[in-house]
Amino acid sequence: MKSSVSTREMRRLYRTMVTIRGFETLAGELFAAGKIPGFIHLSIGQEASAAGVCSALRQDDYIATTHRGHGHVIAKGGDLKKMIAELMGRKTGYCKGKGGSMHIADFSLGILGANGVVGGGFPIIIGAGLSIKLRRTDQVAVCFFGDGASNRGTFHEAMNMASIWKLPILFVCENNCYASTTPTTYACSVNNIATRAAGYNIPGVTVDGNDLLAVREAAGKAVDRARRGEGPTLLENKTYRRRGHFEGDPQKYRTQAEVAEWEKNDPLLRFASVLKKKKLLTGEMEKEIREQVDCELKEAVAFAEQSEWPNPEEALEDMFINP
Amino acid sequence: MTERMISCSAAICEALTEEMARDEAIFIIGEDLVAHGGIFGQFRGLPERFPGRLIDSPISEACIVGAGLGAALTGMRPLVDMHFADFVTCAMDEIVNQTAKIRYMFGGQVKVPLVIWAPDGAGLSAAAHHSQSLESWFVHAPGLKVVVPSEPADVKGLLKAAIRDDDPVIFFQHKKLFAREGPVPEGEHIVPLGKAAVKRLGGNVTILTYGSGFYMSMEAANELAGMGIEAEVIDLRTLKPLDFGTIADSIKKTNRAVVVHEACLSGGFGAEVSARINSELFDYLDAPVLRVAAKDVPMPFSPRLENFVLPKAEDVIKAVRAVTYR
Ligand SMILES: Cc1ncc(C[n+]2csc(CCOP(=O)(O)OP(=O)(O)O)c2C)c(N)n1
Ligand SMILES: [Mg+2]
């Protein structure tokens, strides 16, 4: 038993995953109903990575996330109301409607931002890591990214820099088997992206990304190492993107059978059954958690729907501090 | 040659089908080309028709453009797909320092028959990283030809011309115009680079535009006609080399000019056109040259904000009324 995680925390972790799943499902529905403009990328099936990694962090630790970042924001403590309001383009959203799904941030929670540019987070996380070092705190900075992003030059530059300066960084690759239409097996030179760490002389760890406790364990170790000043780690969570790349993706690049196969490997069901075996979760408790989460999400939607749209002129605000 | 109504997307496909059948040196490299015929379906049918000549790449923009350049230097005629024009930023060295300069820097030893195809533009609530119009950056990088078509016939004709050109061409196409239909000639239809088109005749004012600005300007011109103001609308089509002759002929007649583009105002292409008009046609002007452009902010996500930032036909009308004092 991975004893570093308390009973209470186990339940909280389960609840985090239920919240992410609920949020993503709801976002998909709102998008289909025409209530979310633009395009959205959902992380259904990848919840264990977000929940497991963020549970190893403190509130003052940093994360940089991606276009598929709702789960990371939730797991780091993001406010569901402000998230939904942002997705719906309202004034009360995290970014006052300026960002949308691909650009959510909460700097008060150390969330340095989602990113519309694949691989855009790597250089930023280097800066966060360097700043931690210069300020002599024991914070840690985490960069979430996809298998596809590991082919950007920024990934390789960042891995090297983090290594030579022993920065307190955890690189978390969510290998979900695809980058848009392109299979990871086609676009990546290695089977396990974590093996790329060897080229930069840092530890590389591959785990079953749908096993919450495995993710938590590996992330915990890497975070502790970084806090001790021993440098960065590359963690690869093997998982699967169950929805289209974006909502509305025709998905001609894979079969429904493949998706169905992965549905059986559901991170929520797996963790629920672990908890039940340990007698930490009953059917009754499960139902209660779901109801609570549903209620929170309903409140968030109501909040967003009752929120004002931004005034057009507000488009000109927030450019400079000293215009 | 017969004309049919086809979309901008179909025009891209037609141009590429004809050119790739004609010349085996042409190939396409970029992300997510094969499975869906490009992420906008802009290359639909090509992967089946030309197996092996659409090359799916990892997410590695620097090497995508670099690969295009290297192949162009060694006998191929590549078209690289930037996925979204916004990601040119990830390949700026390859575009600006390498592609644009290589022929000149090496004393004209080589040719660089490379097309960099980049879908750009806003209006889809795609927010700050997926909505930009960046053409003026490349006008400012000597060594690149810059093309921004609007109507499907120009898309086809200019793409064919760009592919046949022995110099590097960066080719911007507005995402929101992919579905826009128009009459397009079948078969051999070439629109030469560096030639503007007078698309509406008028004697009171010259509207200089390109890309999505063209449709905005035509809408404005039709309304202005109702007010008794006849606007001449010139679709520049190629920004570099610029067809200043066509611009000058029109302004000598109308004595007034408004430049319209979707890109933001400061440092936009309108500034360049306006400066040239001021220095070369000052004596013909009866009013200052005005510019209609997006406001100087990154593109916001929420539809209301985005709509406020983007220029509209009513802004063109306002500018025209100002220069015609009506
Ligand atoms: C620099 C850059 N290139 C291309 C894109 C377009 N794009 C958005 S997401 C994506 C796939 C990303 O794959 P991966 O990193 O594996 O993340 P996933 O979507 O699977 O979570 C692509 C190609 C982009 N946003 N930024
Ligand atoms: Mg992926």
Side-chain angles (χ1 to χ4, degrees):
Chain A
M1 145 124 199
K2 283 122 187 176
S3 54
S4 54
V5 185
S6 71
T7 305
R8 232 185 112 184
E9 205 181 339
M10 292 261 209
R11 289 201 194 106
R12 224 189 34 169
L13 278 167
Y14 180 67
R15 195 193 151 108
T16 304
M17 288 211 289
V18 172
T19 308
I20 299 173
R21 176 70 54 89
F23 183 96
E24 297 290 58
T25 308
L26 174 69
E29 288 164 10
L30 291 170
F31 183 83
K35 292 185 177 177
I36 294 178
F39 45 112
I40 58 170
H41 308 83
L42 303 181
S43 66
I44 288 174
Q46 306 182 195
E47 296 87 350
S49 175
V53 171
C54 290
S55 72
L57 300 179
R58 299 194 314 228
Q59 175 150 340
D60 68 340
D61 290 331
Y62 301 111
I63 67 165
T65 168
T66 69
H67 58 284
R68 203 177 301 289
H70 303 157
H72 308 137
V73 174
I74 292 169
K76 191 75 173 53
D79 180 330
L80 300 178
K81 289 186 173 137
K82 289 187 186 173
M83 287 180 74
I84 299 267
E86 187 60 34
L87 263 59
M88 290 175 62
R90 304 306 166 106
K91 189 176 173 147
T92 52
Y94 257 123
C95 314
K96 306 174 193 167
K98 289 194 170 87
S101 162
M102 265 189 294
H103 306 282
I104 290 185
D106 185 338
F107 289 85
S108 73
L109 295 172
I111 302 168
L112 304 180
N115 215 307
V117 177
V118 169
F122 298 117
I124 298 172
I125 218 67
I126 291 295
L130 187 60
S131 147
I132 292 168
K133 223 180 153 170
L134 293 171
R135 288 184 286 109
R136 298 174 204 273
T137 72
D138 68 343
Q139 293 162 286
V140 170
V142 176
C143 187
F144 287 100
F145 62 100
D147 44 283
S150 77
N151 296 321
R152 282 284 321 278
T154 51
F155 166 77
H156 297 273
E157 293 182 22
M159 294 280 285
N160 184 59
M161 245 185 205
S163 175
I164 62 164
W165 293 333
K166 279 198 180 232
L167 299 180
I169 293 175
L170 172 56
F171 295 97
V172 180
C173 180
E174 298 184 329
N175 183 345
N176 61 6
C177 301
Y178 291 92
S180 186
T181 70
T182 307
T184 313
T185 49
Y186 168 84
C188 289
S189 57
V190 288
N191 290 329
N192 291 335
I193 286 159
T195 59
R196 290 187 164 170
Y200 303 98
N201 197 23
I202 71 175
V205 186
T206 300
V207 302
D208 175 347
N210 285 8
D211 177 347
L212 181 103
L213 289 177
V215 172
R216 162 65 210 232
E217 170 92 353
K221 271 194 193 148
V223 167
D224 289 346
R225 191 181 118 83
R227 265 200 229 296
R228 288 194 306 264
E230 290 166 22
T233 302
L234 170 58
L235 169 63
E236 175 185 19
N237 296 329
K238 295 257 196 197
T239 181
Y240 190 79
R241 161 166 65 69
R242 279 170 28 188
R243 296 290 266 250
H245 171 54
F246 54 90
E247 288 299 282
D249 179 359
Q251 303 180 57
K252 288 183 201 152
Y253 48 85
R254 66 181 182 185
T255 61
Q256 266 314 304
E258 182 185 301
V259 180
E261 199 51 45
W262 275 91
E263 275 167 7
K264 293 186 209 149
N265 180 7
D266 185 287
L268 272 74
L269 294 179
R270 281 178 65 182
F271 190 49
S273 87
V274 169
L275 292 180
K276 282 176 187 164
K277 267 198 207 115
K278 290 186 200 292
K279 308 238 179 302
L280 296 176
L281 188 74
T282 62
E284 191 60 28
M285 283 155 72
E286 214 179 340
K287 199 169 147 252
E288 196 183 306
I289 291 175
R290 267 173 219 287
E291 282 169 2
Q292 284 170 358
V293 167
D294 271 354
C295 181
E296 264 184 66
L297 288 168
K298 278 206 185 86
E299 278 173 25
V301 175
F303 169 81
E305 285 188 324
Q306 284 155 23
S307 292
E308 280 175 56
W309 292 96
N311 289 321
E313 295 74 21
E314 285 163 22
L316 304 180
E317 294 172 5
D318 300 320
M319 273 292 289
F320 296 111
I321 289 172
N322 299 309
Chain B
M1 274 187 291
T2 50
E3 285 190 344
R4 325 102 314 145
M5 297 293 282
I6 64 170
S7 68
C8 284
S9 281
I12 300 171
C13 273
E14 196 164 286
L16 285 167
T17 306
E18 291 172 14
E19 292 306 299
M20 289 177 82
R22 185 187 55 76
D23 185 347
E24 291 220 322
I26 300 167
F27 72 98
I28 307 178
I29 182 167
E31 294 155 21
D32 304 300
L33 303 180
V34 176
H36 294 167
I39 52 167
F40 305 104
Q42 73 275 23
F43 304 134
R44 204 163 282 150
L46 296 176
E48 297 75 25
R49 176 100 196 250
F50 303 105
R53 289 171 68 187
L54 279 86
I55 302 176
D56 272 342
S57 160
I59 306 174
S60 307
E61 284 76 10
C63 272
I64 292 171
V65 176
L69 172 58
L73 293 174
T74 52
M76 302 299 284
R77 304 187 74 88
L79 180 138
V80 306
D81 173 2
M82 290 308 315
H83 213 74
F84 281 79
D86 307 75
F87 309 142
V88 293
T89 53
C90 303
M92 277 309 252
D93 180 57
E94 287 62 38
I95 301 174
V96 173
N97 277 325
Q98 312 301 337
T99 299
K101 298 181 173 58
I102 211 158
R103 174 177 161 79
Y104 179 83
M105 208 166 56
F106 293 127
Q109 292 182 58
V110 283
K111 62 180 185 186
V112 184
L114 172 67
V115 177
I116 300 170
W117 185 84
D120 69 352
L124 300 166
S125 295
H129 286 168
H130 291 80
S131 301
Q132 297 167 88
S133 295
L134 301 172
E135 65 279 1
S136 73
W137 291 2
F138 301 97
V139 171
H140 199 62
L144 297 173
K145 294 178 177 171
V146 182
V147 175
V148 194
S150 57
E151 295 184 286
D154 292 335
V155 168
K156 178 176 174 182
L158 284 163
L159 190 52
K160 286 173 73 100
I163 288 168
R164 294 183 191 191
D165 204 89
D166 281 335
D167 293 316
V169 177
I170 187 159
F171 197 101
F172 291 100
Q173 258 191 273
H174 201 293
K175 300 192 282 289
K176 224 181 157 177
L177 298 182
F178 283 138
R180 187 68 88 121
E181 295 200 341
V184 178
E186 275 180 48
E188 189 73 352
H189 163 66
I190 306 274
V191 175
L193 304 184
K195 283 224 63 74
V198 180
K199 291 196 170 168
R200 186 186 192 281
L201 285 168
N204 301 125
V205 61
T206 301
I207 300 179
L208 301 163
T209 187
Y210 56 89
S212 63
F214 166 70
Y215 290 101
M216 209 186 306
S217 300
M218 287 302 276
E219 190 187 329
N222 290 337
E223 273 200 46
L224 286 161
M227 302 173 201
I229 302 173
E230 290 301 335
E232 185 139 301
V233 178
I234 298 183
D235 188 342
L236 298 173
R237 307 193 291 197
T238 303
L239 308 189
K240 203 172 193 183
L242 181 65
D243 180 4
F244 199 72
T246 299
I247 296 174
D249 289 347
S250 178
I251 292 176
K252 284 176 186 170
K253 181 174 80 176
T254 63
N255 312 113
R256 298 149 208 278
V258 170
V259 193
V260 179
H261 55 59
E262 182 181 311
C264 64
L265 184 73
S266 297
F269 190 65
E272 170 65 21
V273 177
S274 166
R276 265 194 85 178
I277 295 170
N278 284 332
S279 49
E280 295 178 39
L281 300 169
F282 186 74
D283 290 342
Y284 293 94
L285 289 178
D286 285 344
V289 178
L290 290 190
R291 293 176 289 158
V292 175
K295 297 182 173 65
D296 279 334
V297 291
M299 201 52 68
F301 160 72
S302 191
R304 285 199 183 191
L305 300 175
E306 183 179 40
N307 186 52
F308 177 74
V309 168
L310 288 172
K312 286 168 273 300
E314 64 193 72
D315 301 315
V316 180
I317 293 170
K318 225 158 111 192
V320 166
R321 292 182 66 175
V323 298
T324 52
Y325 306 109
R326 312 252 301 255

Coordinates of all heavy atoms in Angstrom, one line a residue, chain B residues 160-221:
Chain B
K160 N -1.2 28.6 -57.7 CA -0.5 28.0 -58.9 C 0.7 28.8 -59.2 O 1.8 28.3 -59.5 CB -1.4 27.8 -60.1 CG -2.4 26.7 -59.9 CD -3.5 26.6 -61.0 CE -2.9 26.1 -62.3 NZ -3.2 24.7 -62.6
A161 N 0.5 30.1 -59.2 CA 1.7 31.0 -59.5 C 2.7 30.9 -58.4 O 3.9 30.9 -58.7 CB 1.2 32.5 -59.6
A162 N 2.3 30.9 -57.2 CA 3.3 30.8 -56.1 C 4.1 29.5 -56.2 O 5.3 29.5 -56.0 CB 2.5 30.8 -54.7
I163 N 3.4 28.4 -56.5 CA 4.1 27.1 -56.6 C 5.1 27.2 -57.8 O 6.2 26.6 -57.7 CB 3.1 26.0 -56.8 CG1 2.3 25.7 -55.5 CG2 3.8 24.7 -57.3 CD1 1.1 24.8 -55.6
R164 N 4.8 27.8 -58.9 CA 5.7 27.9 -60.0 C 6.8 28.9 -59.9 O 7.8 28.9 -60.6 CB 4.9 28.2 -61.3 CG 3.9 27.1 -61.6 CD 3.2 27.4 -62.9 NE 2.1 26.4 -63.1 CZ 1.4 26.3 -64.2 NH1 1.7 27.1 -65.3 NH2 0.4 25.4 -64.3
D165 N 6.6 29.8 -58.9 CA 7.6 30.8 -58.7 C 8.9 30.2 -58.1 O 8.8 29.3 -57.3 CB 7.1 31.9 -57.8 CG 7.8 33.2 -58.0 OD1 7.3 34.0 -58.8 OD2 8.8 33.5 -57.3
D166 N 10.0 30.7 -58.5 CA 11.3 30.2 -58.0 C 11.8 30.9 -56.7 O 12.8 30.6 -56.3 CB 12.4 30.3 -59.1 CG 12.2 29.2 -60.1 OD1 11.7 28.1 -59.8 OD2 12.7 29.4 -61.3
D167 N 11.0 31.8 -56.2 CA 11.3 32.5 -55.0 C 10.4 32.0 -53.8 O 9.3 31.6 -54.1 CB 11.2 34.0 -55.1 CG 12.3 34.5 -56.1 OD1 13.4 34.1 -56.0 OD2 11.9 35.3 -57.0
P168 N 10.8 32.2 -52.6 CA 9.9 31.9 -51.5 C 8.7 32.8 -51.4 O 8.8 34.0 -51.4 CB 10.8 32.0 -50.2 CG 11.9 32.9 -50.6 CD 12.1 32.7 -52.1
V169 N 7.5 32.1 -51.2 CA 6.3 32.9 -51.1 C 5.6 32.5 -49.8 O 5.5 31.3 -49.5 CB 5.4 32.5 -52.3 CG1 4.0 33.3 -52.2 CG2 6.0 32.9 -53.6
I170 N 5.2 33.5 -49.0 CA 4.4 33.1 -47.9 C 2.9 33.5 -48.2 O 2.7 34.6 -48.7 CB 4.9 33.8 -46.6 CG1 4.1 33.3 -45.4 CG2 4.9 35.3 -46.6 CD1 4.8 33.4 -44.0
F171 N 2.0 32.5 -48.1 CA 0.7 32.6 -48.7 C -0.3 32.5 -47.5 O -0.5 31.4 -46.9 CB 0.6 31.4 -49.6 CG -0.6 31.4 -50.6 CD1 -0.3 31.8 -51.9 CD2 -1.9 31.1 -50.2 CE1 -1.3 31.8 -52.8 CE2 -2.9 31.1 -51.1 CZ -2.6 31.5 -52.5
F172 N -1.0 33.6 -47.2 CA -1.9 33.6 -46.1 C -3.3 33.4 -46.6 O -3.7 34.1 -47.6 CB -1.9 34.9 -45.3 CG -0.6 35.1 -44.6 CD1 0.4 35.9 -45.1 CD2 -0.4 34.5 -43.3 CE1 1.6 36.1 -44.4 CE2 0.8 34.7 -42.6 CZ 1.8 35.4 -43.1
Q173 N -4.1 32.5 -46.0 CA -5.5 32.4 -46.3 C -6.4 32.4 -45.1 O -6.1 31.8 -44.1 CB -5.7 31.0 -47.0 CG -5.8 31.2 -48.5 CD -6.2 30.0 -49.2 OE1 -5.4 29.1 -49.5 NE2 -7.5 29.8 -49.4
H174 N -7.4 33.2 -45.2 CA -8.3 33.4 -44.0 C -9.1 32.2 -43.8 O -9.9 31.7 -44.6 CB -9.2 34.6 -44.3 CG -9.7 35.2 -43.0 ND1 -10.6 34.5 -42.2 CD2 -9.4 36.4 -42.3 CE1 -10.9 35.3 -41.1 NE2 -10.2 36.4 -41.2
K175 N -9.1 31.7 -42.5 CA -9.8 30.5 -42.1 C -11.3 30.6 -42.3 O -12.0 29.7 -42.7 CB -9.6 30.2 -40.6 CG -8.1 30.0 -40.3 CD -8.0 29.4 -38.9 CE -8.2 30.5 -37.8 NZ -7.1 31.4 -37.6
K176 N -11.8 31.8 -42.1 CA -13.2 32.0 -42.2 C -13.7 32.1 -43.6 O -14.9 32.0 -43.9 CB -13.6 33.3 -41.5 CG -14.8 33.2 -40.6 CD -15.2 34.5 -39.9 CE -16.7 34.5 -39.6 NZ -17.1 35.7 -38.8
L177 N -12.8 32.2 -44.6 CA -13.2 32.3 -46.0 C -13.1 30.9 -46.7 O -13.4 30.8 -47.9 CB -12.3 33.3 -46.7 CG -12.4 34.8 -46.2 CD1 -11.5 35.6 -47.1 CD2 -13.8 35.3 -46.3
F178 N -12.7 29.9 -46.0 CA -12.5 28.6 -46.7 C -13.8 28.1 -47.4 O -13.7 27.6 -48.5 CB -12.1 27.5 -45.7 CG -10.6 27.5 -45.3 CD1 -10.2 27.3 -44.0 CD2 -9.7 27.8 -46.3 CE1 -8.8 27.4 -43.7 CE2 -8.3 27.9 -46.0 CZ -7.9 27.7 -44.7
A179 N -14.9 28.4 -46.7 CA -16.2 27.9 -47.3 C -16.8 28.9 -48.3 O -17.7 28.6 -49.0 CB -17.2 27.6 -46.2
R180 N -16.2 30.0 -48.4 CA -16.7 31.1 -49.3 C -16.6 30.7 -50.7 O -15.6 30.2 -51.2 CB -15.9 32.4 -49.0 CG -16.4 33.6 -49.7 CD -17.7 34.1 -49.1 NE -17.6 35.0 -48.0 CZ -18.1 36.2 -48.0 NH1 -18.7 36.7 -49.0 NH2 -18.0 36.9 -46.9
E181 N -17.7 30.8 -51.4 CA -17.7 30.3 -52.8 C -17.6 31.4 -53.8 O -17.9 32.6 -53.5 CB -19.0 29.5 -53.1 CG -19.1 28.2 -52.3 CD -20.0 27.2 -52.9 OE1 -20.9 27.6 -53.7 OE2 -19.9 26.0 -52.6
G182 N -17.2 31.1 -55.0 CA -17.1 32.1 -56.1 C -16.8 31.4 -57.4 O -16.5 30.2 -57.4
P183 N -16.9 32.1 -58.5 CA -16.7 31.5 -59.8 C -15.2 31.3 -60.0 O -14.4 32.2 -59.7 CB -17.2 32.5 -60.8 CG -17.2 33.8 -60.0 CD -17.4 33.5 -58.6
V184 N -14.8 30.1 -60.4 CA -13.4 29.7 -60.6 C -13.2 29.1 -61.9 O -13.9 28.1 -62.2 CB -12.9 28.8 -59.5 CG1 -11.4 28.5 -59.7 CG2 -13.0 29.5 -58.1
P185 N -12.3 29.5 -62.8 CA -12.1 28.9 -64.1 C -11.5 27.5 -63.9 O -10.7 27.3 -63.0 CB -11.1 29.8 -64.8 CG -11.0 31.1 -64.0 CD -11.5 30.7 -62.6
E186 N -12.0 26.6 -64.7 CA -11.4 25.2 -64.7 C -10.0 25.2 -65.4 O -9.7 26.1 -66.2 CB -12.3 24.3 -65.5 CG -13.4 23.7 -64.6 CD -14.3 22.8 -65.4 OE1 -13.8 21.9 -66.1 OE2 -15.6 22.9 -65.3
G187 N -9.2 24.3 -65.0 CA -7.9 24.1 -65.7 C -6.9 25.2 -65.5 O -7.0 25.9 -64.4
E188 N -6.1 25.4 -66.5 CA -5.0 26.4 -66.3 C -5.5 27.8 -66.1 O -6.0 28.5 -66.9 CB -4.2 26.4 -67.6 CG -2.9 27.2 -67.6 CD -1.8 26.5 -66.7 OE1 -2.1 25.5 -66.1 OE2 -0.7 27.0 -66.8
H189 N -5.4 28.3 -64.8 CA -5.8 29.6 -64.5 C -4.7 30.2 -63.5 O -4.6 29.7 -62.4 CB -7.2 29.6 -63.8 CG -7.5 30.8 -63.0 ND1 -7.7 32.0 -63.7 CD2 -7.6 31.1 -61.7 CE1 -8.0 33.0 -62.7 NE2 -7.9 32.4 -61.5
I190 N -3.9 31.1 -64.0 CA -2.8 31.6 -63.2 C -3.1 33.1 -63.0 O -3.4 33.8 -63.9 CB -1.5 31.5 -64.0 CG1 -1.2 30.1 -64.5 CG2 -0.3 32.1 -63.2 CD1 -0.6 29.2 -63.6
V191 N -3.0 33.5 -61.7 CA -3.0 34.9 -61.4 C -1.5 35.3 -61.1 O -1.0 34.8 -60.1 CB -3.9 35.2 -60.2 CG1 -3.8 36.6 -59.8 CG2 -5.3 34.8 -60.5
P192 N -0.9 36.1 -61.9 CA 0.5 36.4 -61.6 C 0.7 37.1 -60.3 O -0.1 37.9 -59.8 CB 0.9 37.3 -62.8 CG -0.4 37.7 -63.4 CD -1.5 36.8 -63.0
L193 N 1.8 36.8 -59.6 CA 2.2 37.4 -58.4 C 2.5 38.9 -58.7 O 2.9 39.2 -59.8 CB 3.4 36.8 -57.7 CG 3.4 35.3 -57.4 CD1 4.7 34.8 -56.7 CD2 2.2 34.9 -56.6
G194 N 2.2 39.8 -57.7 CA 2.5 41.2 -57.9 C 1.5 41.9 -58.8 O 1.9 43.0 -59.3
K195 N 0.3 41.4 -59.0 CA -0.7 42.1 -59.8 C -2.0 42.3 -58.9 O -2.6 41.3 -58.5 CB -1.0 41.4 -61.0 CG 0.1 41.5 -62.1 CD -0.5 41.8 -63.5 CE -1.3 43.1 -63.7 NZ -0.5 44.4 -63.7
A196 N -2.3 43.5 -58.7 CA -3.6 43.8 -58.0 C -4.7 43.7 -59.0 O -4.5 43.7 -60.2 CB -3.5 45.2 -57.4
A197 N -6.0 43.7 -58.5 CA -7.1 43.6 -59.3 C -8.1 44.7 -58.9 O -8.5 44.8 -57.8 CB -7.8 42.2 -59.2
V198 N -8.6 45.5 -59.9 CA -9.6 46.4 -59.7 C -10.9 45.6 -59.7 O -11.3 45.2 -60.8 CB -9.7 47.5 -60.7 CG1 -10.8 48.5 -60.4 CG2 -8.3 48.3 -60.8
K199 N -11.6 45.5 -58.6 CA -12.7 44.6 -58.5 C -14.1 45.3 -58.5 O -15.1 44.7 -58.6 CB -12.6 43.6 -57.3 CG -11.5 42.6 -57.5 CD -11.5 41.5 -56.6 CE -10.5 40.4 -57.0 NZ -10.3 39.4 -56.0
R200 N -14.0 46.6 -58.4 CA -15.2 47.4 -58.5 C -14.8 48.8 -59.0 O -13.8 49.3 -58.4 CB -15.9 47.5 -57.1 CG -17.2 48.2 -57.2 CD -17.8 48.5 -55.8 NE -19.2 48.9 -55.8 CZ -19.6 50.1 -56.1 NH1 -18.7 51.1 -56.4 NH2 -20.9 50.4 -56.1
L201 N -15.4 49.3 -60.0 CA -15.0 50.6 -60.5 C -15.8 51.7 -59.8 O -16.9 51.5 -59.4 CB -15.4 50.7 -62.0 CG -14.4 49.9 -62.9 CD1 -15.0 49.7 -64.3 CD2 -13.0 50.5 -63.0
G202 N -15.1 52.8 -59.6 CA -15.8 53.9 -58.9 C -14.9 55.2 -59.0 O -13.7 55.0 -59.1
G203 N -15.5 56.3 -59.0 CA -14.7 57.5 -59.2 C -14.4 58.4 -58.0 O -13.7 59.4 -58.1
N204 N -15.1 58.0 -56.8 CA -15.0 59.0 -55.7 C -13.9 58.7 -54.7 O -13.5 59.6 -54.0 CB -16.4 59.0 -55.0 CG -17.5 59.4 -55.9 OD1 -18.5 58.7 -56.0 ND2 -17.3 60.6 -56.6
V205 N -13.6 57.4 -54.6 CA -12.6 57.0 -53.6 C -12.0 55.7 -54.0 O -12.7 54.9 -54.6 CB -13.2 57.0 -52.2 CG1 -14.3 55.9 -52.1 CG2 -12.2 56.7 -51.1
T206 N -10.7 55.5 -53.6 CA -10.1 54.2 -53.8 C -10.0 53.4 -52.5 O -9.4 53.9 -51.5 CB -8.7 54.4 -54.4 OG1 -8.8 55.1 -55.6 CG2 -8.0 53.1 -54.7
I207 N -10.6 52.2 -52.5 CA -10.4 51.4 -51.3 C -9.3 50.3 -51.6 O -9.5 49.6 -52.6 CB -11.7 50.7 -50.8 CG1 -12.8 51.8 -50.5 CG2 -11.5 49.8 -49.7 CD1 -14.1 51.2 -50.1
L208 N -8.3 50.3 -50.9 CA -7.2 49.3 -51.1 C -7.3 48.3 -50.0 O -7.2 48.6 -48.8 CB -5.8 50.1 -51.0 CG -5.7 51.2 -52.0 CD1 -4.6 52.2 -51.6 CD2 -5.5 50.6 -53.4
T209 N -7.4 47.0 -50.4 CA -7.6 46.0 -49.4 C -7.1 44.6 -49.9 O -6.6 44.5 -51.0 CB -9.1 45.9 -49.1 OG1 -9.3 45.0 -48.0 CG2 -9.9 45.5 -50.3
Y210 N -7.3 43.6 -49.1 CA -6.9 42.3 -49.4 C -7.5 41.3 -48.4 O -7.9 41.8 -47.3 CB -5.3 42.1 -49.5 CG -4.6 42.5 -48.2 CD1 -4.4 41.6 -47.1 CD2 -4.2 43.9 -48.0 CE1 -3.8 42.0 -46.0 CE2 -3.6 44.3 -46.8 CZ -3.4 43.3 -45.8 OH -2.8 43.7 -44.6
G211 N -7.4 40.0 -48.7 CA -7.9 39.0 -47.7 C -9.4 39.3 -47.3 O -10.2 39.7 -48.1
S212 N -9.6 39.1 -46.0 CA -11.0 39.3 -45.5 C -11.5 40.7 -45.7 O -12.7 41.0 -45.8 CB -11.1 38.9 -44.1 OG -10.3 39.7 -43.3
G213 N -10.5 41.7 -45.8 CA -10.9 43.1 -45.9 C -11.6 43.3 -47.3 O -12.4 44.3 -47.4
F214 N -11.3 42.4 -48.2 CA -12.0 42.6 -49.5 C -13.5 42.5 -49.4 O -14.2 43.4 -49.9 CB -11.5 41.6 -50.5 CG -12.3 41.5 -51.8 CD1 -12.3 42.5 -52.7 CD2 -13.2 40.4 -52.0 CE1 -13.2 42.5 -53.8 CE2 -14.0 40.3 -53.1 CZ -14.0 41.4 -54.0
Y215 N -14.0 41.5 -48.7 CA -15.5 41.3 -48.6 C -16.1 42.4 -47.8 O -17.2 42.9 -48.1 CB -15.8 39.9 -48.0 CG -15.4 38.8 -48.9 CD1 -14.3 38.1 -48.8 CD2 -16.3 38.5 -50.0 CE1 -14.0 37.0 -49.7 CE2 -16.0 37.5 -50.9 CZ -14.8 36.7 -50.7 OH -14.5 35.7 -51.6
M216 N -15.4 42.9 -46.7 CA -15.8 44.0 -45.9 C -15.9 45.2 -46.8 O -16.9 46.0 -46.7 CB -14.7 44.2 -44.9 CG -15.2 44.8 -43.6 SD -13.7 45.1 -42.6 CE -12.8 43.5 -42.6
S217 N -14.9 45.4 -47.6 CA -14.9 46.6 -48.5 C -16.0 46.6 -49.5 O -16.6 47.6 -49.9 CB -13.5 46.8 -49.2 OG -12.5 46.9 -48.2
M218 N -16.3 45.4 -50.1 CA -17.3 45.3 -51.1 C -18.7 45.6 -50.5 O -19.5 46.3 -51.1 CB -17.3 43.9 -51.8 CG -16.1 43.7 -52.7 SD -16.1 44.9 -54.1 CE -17.2 44.2 -55.2
E219 N -18.9 45.1 -49.3 CA -20.1 45.3 -48.6 C -20.3 46.9 -48.4 O -21.3 47.4 -48.6 CB -20.1 44.6 -47.2 CG -21.4 44.6 -46.5 CD -21.2 44.0 -45.1 OE1 -20.3 43.1 -44.9 OE2 -22.0 44.4 -44.2
A220 N -19.2 47.5 -47.9 CA -19.2 48.9 -47.7 C -19.5 49.7 -49.0 O -20.3 50.6 -49.0 CB -17.9 49.4 -47.1
A221 N -18.8 49.3 -50.1 CA -18.9 50.0 -51.3 C -20.4 49.9 -51.8 O -20.9 50.9 -52.4 CB -18.0 49.3 -52.4

